[in-house]
Amino acid sequence: MKHYIGIAGTNSKASTNLKLMQYVKKHFNKDVDVELVDISSLPVFFKGTADQVPNEALEIAAKIEAADGVIIATPEYDHSIPAVLMNALAWLSYTKRPFIGKPVMIIGASYGTLGASRAQAHLRRILDAPELSALVMPSSEYFLSHSLQAFDENGDLKDEQKVVELENLMKQFNTYIQFAKNVDVTARLNSSQAQYLKVEE
């Protein structure tokens, strides 16, 4: 059974993106193991030395490194991703760089009609940065609009069409995982000798 890390890019316990990740974990539990990690406790990022990286960031990095893939659900704030998600990605690009060569699937929910589409597009660009170099699944989109009304009292999606869309996307991701294993990510090998960055201000 494949093991995925699920990240909800929020620090709100009431976030519909957290509900979406919880739904993914529950709905696909017979096929894949999705482990949700909490990024809300990470301190604000600062450039320092290796011994200044918080343990929380190291623990998350180790989980991502060991996983088959990562699923990120992002809200959209001001046409971009939330600060808490940007903060987490900054720390992770500064540790062992666990996203290098790691397959990633992006999903998102929003209160409005666009389903965090602009934030998802921005997140793709961020994950393509050299220090992250994630293998984001191409030609894949999942936009959950009007997310406050999207879930029932059990936390399940009400719209069967959105369920089918998510199931198809997960099938594609499982296939993409196999493809990604054959991708030669030279950057991962190059970075192995300098796992931590030492920055001089």
Side-chain angles (χ1 to χ4, degrees):
M1 181 179 288
K2 290 183 175 64
H3 177 68
Y4 297 155
I5 294 299
I7 298 174
T10 179
N11 54 3
S12 170
K13 300 301 182 184
S15 170
T16 54
N17 280 275
L18 178 57
K19 286 185 178 181
L20 180 57
M21 279 306 318
Q22 291 169 337
Y23 175 77
V24 168
K25 176 180 175 64
K26 178 174 67 172
H27 188 71
F28 296 101
N29 65 350
K30 292 182 180 179
D31 303 311
V32 295
D33 173 37
V34 179
E35 179 184 359
L36 303 186
V37 299
D38 183 8
I39 61 174
S40 63
S41 63
L42 289 170
V44 175
F45 176 76
F46 63 92
K47 291 183 178 179
T49 57
D51 59 358
Q52 293 175 304
V53 177
N55 288 331
E56 299 95 326
L58 296 175
E59 290 170 1
I60 294 173
K63 289 183 177 183
I64 291 173
E65 197 169 36
D68 295 299
V70 179
I71 304 171
I72 302 177
T74 181
E76 181 174 312
Y77 299 158
D78 300 324
H79 293 190
S80 186
I81 65 173
V84 66
L85 179 54
M86 187 70 217
N87 184 61
L89 293 175
W91 277 120
L92 293 169
S93 71
Y94 198 67
T95 57
K96 293 184 177 180
R97 298 179 179 176
F99 274 106
I100 293 179
K102 187 67 60 175
V104 176
M105 183 174 82
I106 299 173
I107 58 179
S110 73
Y111 295 172
T113 59
L114 298 181
S117 60
R118 291 164 297 200
Q120 291 188 48
H122 192 197
L123 181 55
R124 284 178 177 273
R125 292 182 60 190
I126 294 170
L127 289 170
D128 193 44
E131 295 79 5
L132 290 164
S133 294
L135 297 179
V136 182
M137 184 167 66
S139 303
S140 61
E141 297 177 333
Y142 186 79
F143 308 136
L144 184 64
S145 59
H146 306 293
S147 57
L148 284 174
Q149 295 81 39
F151 300 92
D152 63 20
E153 62 276 6
N154 296 318
D156 296 322
L157 288 172
K158 296 178 183 178
D159 187 341
E160 184 60 30
Q161 180 58 40
K162 298 307 293 185
V163 174
V164 172
E165 286 181 24
L166 192 57
E167 289 174 345
N168 289 335
L169 191 64
M170 184 65 83
K171 289 178 182 178
Q172 293 174 33
F173 190 50
N174 291 337
T175 301
Y176 182 66
I177 294 286
Q178 299 304 316
F179 163 79
K181 289 180 179 179
N182 297 320
V183 176
D184 181 16
V185 185
T186 307
R188 174 180 286 275
L189 301 178
N190 291 342
S191 67
S192 64
Q193 297 191 9
Q195 292 183 341
Y196 300 98
L197 301 178
K198 293 186 177 182
V199 178
E200 294 181 0
E201 296 289 351

mmCIF file of all heavy atoms in Angstrom, residues 142-168:
data_model
loop_
_atom_site.group_PDB
_atom_site.id
_atom_site.type_symbol
_atom_site.label_atom_id
_atom_site.label_comp_id
_atom_site.label_asym_id
_atom_site.label_seq_id
_atom_site.Cartn_x
_atom_site.Cartn_y
_atom_site.Cartn_z
ATOM 1 N N TYR A 142 -8.007 20.115 -9.295
ATOM 2 C CA TYR A 142 -9.183 19.773 -8.495
ATOM 3 C C TYR A 142 -9.583 21.014 -7.717
ATOM 4 O O TYR A 142 -8.907 21.419 -6.779
ATOM 5 C CB TYR A 142 -8.907 18.613 -7.531
ATOM 6 C CG TYR A 142 -10.164 18.168 -6.809
ATOM 7 C CD1 TYR A 142 -11.092 17.349 -7.457
ATOM 8 C CD2 TYR A 142 -10.441 18.596 -5.514
ATOM 9 C CE1 TYR A 142 -12.256 16.954 -6.826
ATOM 10 C CE2 TYR A 142 -11.602 18.205 -4.880
ATOM 11 C CZ TYR A 142 -12.513 17.385 -5.527
ATOM 12 O OH TYR A 142 -13.666 17.006 -4.903
ATOM 13 N N PHE A 143 -10.678 21.615 -8.142
ATOM 14 C CA PHE A 143 -11.166 22.848 -7.539
ATOM 15 C C PHE A 143 -12.495 22.578 -6.836
ATOM 16 O O PHE A 143 -13.482 22.236 -7.488
ATOM 17 C CB PHE A 143 -11.373 23.928 -8.609
ATOM 18 C CG PHE A 143 -10.178 24.166 -9.486
ATOM 19 C CD1 PHE A 143 -10.325 24.309 -10.856
ATOM 20 C CD2 PHE A 143 -8.906 24.241 -8.947
ATOM 21 C CE1 PHE A 143 -9.231 24.537 -11.670
ATOM 22 C CE2 PHE A 143 -7.794 24.476 -9.749
ATOM 23 C CZ PHE A 143 -7.958 24.617 -11.124
ATOM 24 N N LEU A 144 -12.506 22.724 -5.525
ATOM 25 C CA LEU A 144 -13.744 22.561 -4.757
ATOM 26 C C LEU A 144 -14.274 23.946 -4.403
ATOM 27 O O LEU A 144 -13.761 24.606 -3.495
ATOM 28 C CB LEU A 144 -13.493 21.742 -3.490
ATOM 29 C CG LEU A 144 -14.734 21.428 -2.643
ATOM 30 C CD1 LEU A 144 -15.709 20.544 -3.431
ATOM 31 C CD2 LEU A 144 -14.339 20.751 -1.341
ATOM 32 N N SER A 145 -15.279 24.396 -5.127
ATOM 33 C CA SER A 145 -15.846 25.725 -4.889
ATOM 34 C C SER A 145 -16.980 25.654 -3.866
ATOM 35 O O SER A 145 -17.478 24.573 -3.547
ATOM 36 C CB SER A 145 -16.362 26.313 -6.202
ATOM 37 O OG SER A 145 -17.345 25.473 -6.784
ATOM 38 N N HIS A 146 -17.347 26.831 -3.336
ATOM 39 C CA HIS A 146 -18.422 26.936 -2.338
ATOM 40 C C HIS A 146 -18.244 25.879 -1.242
ATOM 41 O O HIS A 146 -19.166 25.142 -0.893
ATOM 42 C CB HIS A 146 -19.792 26.789 -3.010
ATOM 43 C CG HIS A 146 -20.013 27.747 -4.141
ATOM 44 N ND1 HIS A 146 -20.124 29.116 -3.946
ATOM 45 C CD2 HIS A 146 -20.102 27.555 -5.485
ATOM 46 C CE1 HIS A 146 -20.298 29.717 -5.117
ATOM 47 N NE2 HIS A 146 -20.283 28.803 -6.063
ATOM 48 N N SER A 147 -17.032 25.831 -0.725
ATOM 49 C CA SER A 147 -16.637 24.719 0.154
ATOM 50 C C SER A 147 -17.354 24.704 1.499
ATOM 51 O O SER A 147 -17.407 23.662 2.150
ATOM 52 C CB SER A 147 -15.122 24.745 0.379
ATOM 53 O OG SER A 147 -14.708 25.993 0.917
ATOM 54 N N LEU A 148 -17.901 25.830 1.916
ATOM 55 C CA LEU A 148 -18.645 25.839 3.180
ATOM 56 C C LEU A 148 -19.903 24.963 3.106
ATOM 57 O O LEU A 148 -20.368 24.453 4.125
ATOM 58 C CB LEU A 148 -19.038 27.267 3.563
ATOM 59 C CG LEU A 148 -17.934 28.154 4.138
ATOM 60 C CD1 LEU A 148 -18.443 29.578 4.327
ATOM 61 C CD2 LEU A 148 -17.410 27.598 5.455
ATOM 62 N N GLN A 149 -20.419 24.802 1.900
ATOM 63 C CA GLN A 149 -21.618 23.986 1.701
ATOM 64 C C GLN A 149 -21.298 22.621 1.106
ATOM 65 O O GLN A 149 -22.203 21.837 0.803
ATOM 66 C CB GLN A 149 -22.608 24.709 0.769
ATOM 67 C CG GLN A 149 -23.191 26.006 1.313
ATOM 68 C CD GLN A 149 -22.257 27.193 1.148
ATOM 69 O OE1 GLN A 149 -21.582 27.315 0.130
ATOM 70 N NE2 GLN A 149 -22.197 28.054 2.151
ATOM 71 N N ALA A 150 -20.011 22.301 0.944
ATOM 72 C CA ALA A 150 -19.621 21.112 0.186
ATOM 73 C C ALA A 150 -19.655 19.815 0.991
ATOM 74 O O ALA A 150 -19.719 18.729 0.403
ATOM 75 C CB ALA A 150 -18.215 21.301 -0.389
ATOM 76 N N PHE A 151 -19.618 19.912 2.324
ATOM 77 C CA PHE A 151 -19.523 18.723 3.165
ATOM 78 C C PHE A 151 -20.785 18.508 3.990
ATOM 79 O O PHE A 151 -21.421 19.475 4.429
ATOM 80 C CB PHE A 151 -18.316 18.837 4.110
ATOM 81 C CG PHE A 151 -16.994 18.964 3.403
ATOM 82 C CD1 PHE A 151 -16.472 20.220 3.106
ATOM 83 C CD2 PHE A 151 -16.269 17.842 3.031
ATOM 84 C CE1 PHE A 151 -15.247 20.355 2.465
ATOM 85 C CE2 PHE A 151 -15.046 17.970 2.385
ATOM 86 C CZ PHE A 151 -14.540 19.228 2.095
ATOM 87 N N ASP A 152 -21.118 17.239 4.223
ATOM 88 C CA ASP A 152 -22.244 16.940 5.105
ATOM 89 C C ASP A 152 -21.765 16.846 6.550
ATOM 90 O O ASP A 152 -20.590 17.113 6.853
ATOM 91 C CB ASP A 152 -22.965 15.660 4.664
ATOM 92 C CG ASP A 152 -22.092 14.406 4.748
ATOM 93 O OD1 ASP A 152 -21.070 14.416 5.473
ATOM 94 O OD2 ASP A 152 -22.428 13.406 4.089
ATOM 95 N N GLU A 153 -22.659 16.461 7.452
ATOM 96 C CA GLU A 153 -22.324 16.428 8.879
ATOM 97 C C GLU A 153 -21.287 15.375 9.225
ATOM 98 O O GLU A 153 -20.660 15.423 10.290
ATOM 99 C CB GLU A 153 -23.598 16.192 9.712
ATOM 100 C CG GLU A 153 -24.306 14.880 9.461
ATOM 101 C CD GLU A 153 -25.256 14.933 8.257
ATOM 102 O OE1 GLU A 153 -25.270 15.972 7.560
ATOM 103 O OE2 GLU A 153 -25.968 13.929 8.050
ATOM 104 N N ASN A 154 -21.063 14.417 8.315
ATOM 105 C CA ASN A 154 -20.051 13.380 8.533
ATOM 106 C C ASN A 154 -18.707 13.729 7.904
ATOM 107 O O ASN A 154 -17.772 12.931 7.964
ATOM 108 C CB ASN A 154 -20.543 12.050 7.968
ATOM 109 C CG ASN A 154 -21.779 11.542 8.681
ATOM 110 O OD1 ASN A 154 -21.872 11.607 9.907
ATOM 111 N ND2 ASN A 154 -22.741 11.053 7.914
ATOM 112 N N GLY A 155 -18.631 14.914 7.295
ATOM 113 C CA GLY A 155 -17.394 15.322 6.653
ATOM 114 C C GLY A 155 -17.202 14.755 5.263
ATOM 115 O O GLY A 155 -16.094 14.812 4.707
ATOM 116 N N ASP A 156 -18.273 14.217 4.670
ATOM 117 C CA ASP A 156 -18.207 13.657 3.320
ATOM 118 C C ASP A 156 -18.667 14.690 2.297
ATOM 119 O O ASP A 156 -19.517 15.540 2.572
ATOM 120 C CB ASP A 156 -19.099 12.413 3.212
ATOM 121 C CG ASP A 156 -18.624 11.285 4.101
ATOM 122 O OD1 ASP A 156 -17.397 11.113 4.222
ATOM 123 O OD2 ASP A 156 -19.479 10.585 4.685
ATOM 124 N N LEU A 157 -18.112 14.606 1.093
ATOM 125 C CA LEU A 157 -18.529 15.494 0.022
ATOM 126 C C LEU A 157 -19.953 15.170 -0.411
ATOM 127 O O LEU A 157 -20.315 14.003 -0.592
ATOM 128 C CB LEU A 157 -17.583 15.367 -1.176
ATOM 129 C CG LEU A 157 -16.180 15.964 -1.004
ATOM 130 C CD1 LEU A 157 -15.302 15.588 -2.193
ATOM 131 C CD2 LEU A 157 -16.261 17.475 -0.857
ATOM 132 N N LYS A 158 -20.742 16.198 -0.593
ATOM 133 C CA LYS A 158 -22.141 16.015 -0.980
ATOM 134 C C LYS A 158 -22.287 15.763 -2.478
ATOM 135 O O LYS A 158 -23.157 14.994 -2.901
ATOM 136 C CB LYS A 158 -22.956 17.256 -0.618
ATOM 137 C CG LYS A 158 -23.047 17.556 0.872
ATOM 138 C CD LYS A 158 -23.835 18.839 1.078
ATOM 139 C CE LYS A 158 -23.914 19.246 2.529
ATOM 140 N NZ LYS A 158 -24.654 20.526 2.708
ATOM 141 N N ASP A 159 -21.467 16.419 -3.270
ATOM 142 C CA ASP A 159 -21.591 16.365 -4.724
ATOM 143 C C ASP A 159 -20.889 15.122 -5.264
ATOM 144 O O ASP A 159 -19.669 15.008 -5.221
ATOM 145 C CB ASP A 159 -20.977 17.625 -5.334
ATOM 146 C CG ASP A 159 -21.218 17.742 -6.829
ATOM 147 O OD1 ASP A 159 -21.529 16.726 -7.477
ATOM 148 O OD2 ASP A 159 -21.064 18.870 -7.356
ATOM 149 N N GLU A 160 -21.678 14.192 -5.799
ATOM 150 C CA GLU A 160 -21.120 12.933 -6.286
ATOM 151 C C GLU A 160 -20.147 13.161 -7.434
ATOM 152 O O GLU A 160 -19.165 12.428 -7.574
ATOM 153 C CB GLU A 160 -22.249 12.001 -6.743
ATOM 154 C CG GLU A 160 -21.788 10.614 -7.175
ATOM 155 C CD GLU A 160 -21.067 9.856 -6.062
ATOM 156 O OE1 GLU A 160 -21.376 10.076 -4.872
ATOM 157 O OE2 GLU A 160 -20.177 9.043 -6.396
ATOM 158 N N GLN A 161 -20.396 14.184 -8.241
ATOM 159 C CA GLN A 161 -19.500 14.470 -9.344
ATOM 160 C C GLN A 161 -18.111 14.865 -8.843
ATOM 161 O O GLN A 161 -17.090 14.467 -9.412
ATOM 162 C CB GLN A 161 -20.065 15.580 -10.230
ATOM 163 C CG GLN A 161 -19.192 15.942 -11.426
ATOM 164 C CD GLN A 161 -18.926 14.754 -12.344
ATOM 165 O OE1 GLN A 161 -19.827 13.952 -12.596
ATOM 166 N NE2 GLN A 161 -17.700 14.631 -12.835
ATOM 167 N N LYS A 162 -18.062 15.639 -7.747
ATOM 168 C CA LYS A 162 -16.772 16.030 -7.182
ATOM 169 C C LYS A 162 -16.060 14.817 -6.573
ATOM 170 O O LYS A 162 -14.825 14.757 -6.580
ATOM 171 C CB LYS A 162 -16.951 17.111 -6.124
ATOM 172 C CG LYS A 162 -17.554 18.417 -6.635
ATOM 173 C CD LYS A 162 -16.797 18.972 -7.821
ATOM 174 C CE LYS A 162 -15.394 19.445 -7.485
ATOM 175 N NZ LYS A 162 -14.725 20.088 -8.651
ATOM 176 N N VAL A 163 -16.831 13.864 -6.064
ATOM 177 C CA VAL A 163 -16.244 12.625 -5.553
ATOM 178 C C VAL A 163 -15.597 11.850 -6.692
ATOM 179 O O VAL A 163 -14.452 11.381 -6.577
ATOM 180 C CB VAL A 163 -17.310 11.754 -4.848
ATOM 181 C CG1 VAL A 163 -16.713 10.400 -4.444
ATOM 182 C CG2 VAL A 163 -17.866 12.469 -3.625
ATOM 183 N N VAL A 164 -16.313 11.720 -7.801
ATOM 184 C CA VAL A 164 -15.795 10.999 -8.964
ATOM 185 C C VAL A 164 -14.538 11.690 -9.498
ATOM 186 O O VAL A 164 -13.547 11.022 -9.840
ATOM 187 C CB VAL A 164 -16.870 10.901 -10.061
ATOM 188 C CG1 VAL A 164 -16.271 10.323 -11.351
ATOM 189 C CG2 VAL A 164 -18.023 10.033 -9.590
ATOM 190 N N GLU A 165 -14.552 13.015 -9.557
ATOM 191 C CA GLU A 165 -13.381 13.767 -10.014
ATOM 192 C C GLU A 165 -12.169 13.471 -9.136
ATOM 193 O O GLU A 165 -11.053 13.267 -9.632
ATOM 194 C CB GLU A 165 -13.667 15.270 -9.994
ATOM 195 C CG GLU A 165 -14.577 15.755 -11.093
ATOM 196 C CD GLU A 165 -14.800 17.248 -11.014
ATOM 197 O OE1 GLU A 165 -13.938 17.947 -10.433
ATOM 198 O OE2 GLU A 165 -15.822 17.725 -11.512
ATOM 199 N N LEU A 166 -12.395 13.446 -7.833
ATOM 200 C CA LEU A 166 -11.294 13.189 -6.901
ATOM 201 C C LEU A 166 -10.786 11.755 -7.026
ATOM 202 O O LEU A 166 -9.574 11.507 -6.973
ATOM 203 C CB LEU A 166 -11.755 13.474 -5.474
ATOM 204 C CG LEU A 166 -10.680 13.525 -4.394
ATOM 205 C CD1 LEU A 166 -9.604 14.560 -4.721
ATOM 206 C CD2 LEU A 166 -11.310 13.839 -3.032
ATOM 207 N N GLU A 167 -11.702 10.818 -7.220
ATOM 208 C CA GLU A 167 -11.303 9.421 -7.390
ATOM 209 C C GLU A 167 -10.470 9.244 -8.659
ATOM 210 O O GLU A 167 -9.455 8.524 -8.655
ATOM 211 C CB GLU A 167 -12.543 8.533 -7.441
ATOM 212 C CG GLU A 167 -13.244 8.399 -6.097
ATOM 213 C CD GLU A 167 -14.558 7.646 -6.178
ATOM 214 O OE1 GLU A 167 -15.072 7.464 -7.299
ATOM 215 O OE2 GLU A 167 -15.079 7.247 -5.124
ATOM 216 N N ASN A 168 -10.877 9.893 -9.736
ATOM 217 C CA ASN A 168 -10.111 9.811 -10.979
ATOM 218 C C ASN A 168 -8.731 10.442 -10.829
ATOM 219 O O ASN A 168 -7.732 9.926 -11.355
ATOM 220 C CB ASN A 168 -10.876 10.488 -12.122
ATOM 221 C CG ASN A 168 -12.097 9.703 -12.552
ATOM 222 O OD1 ASN A 168 -12.164 8.479 -12.364
ATOM 223 N ND2 ASN A 168 -13.070 10.374 -13.151
#
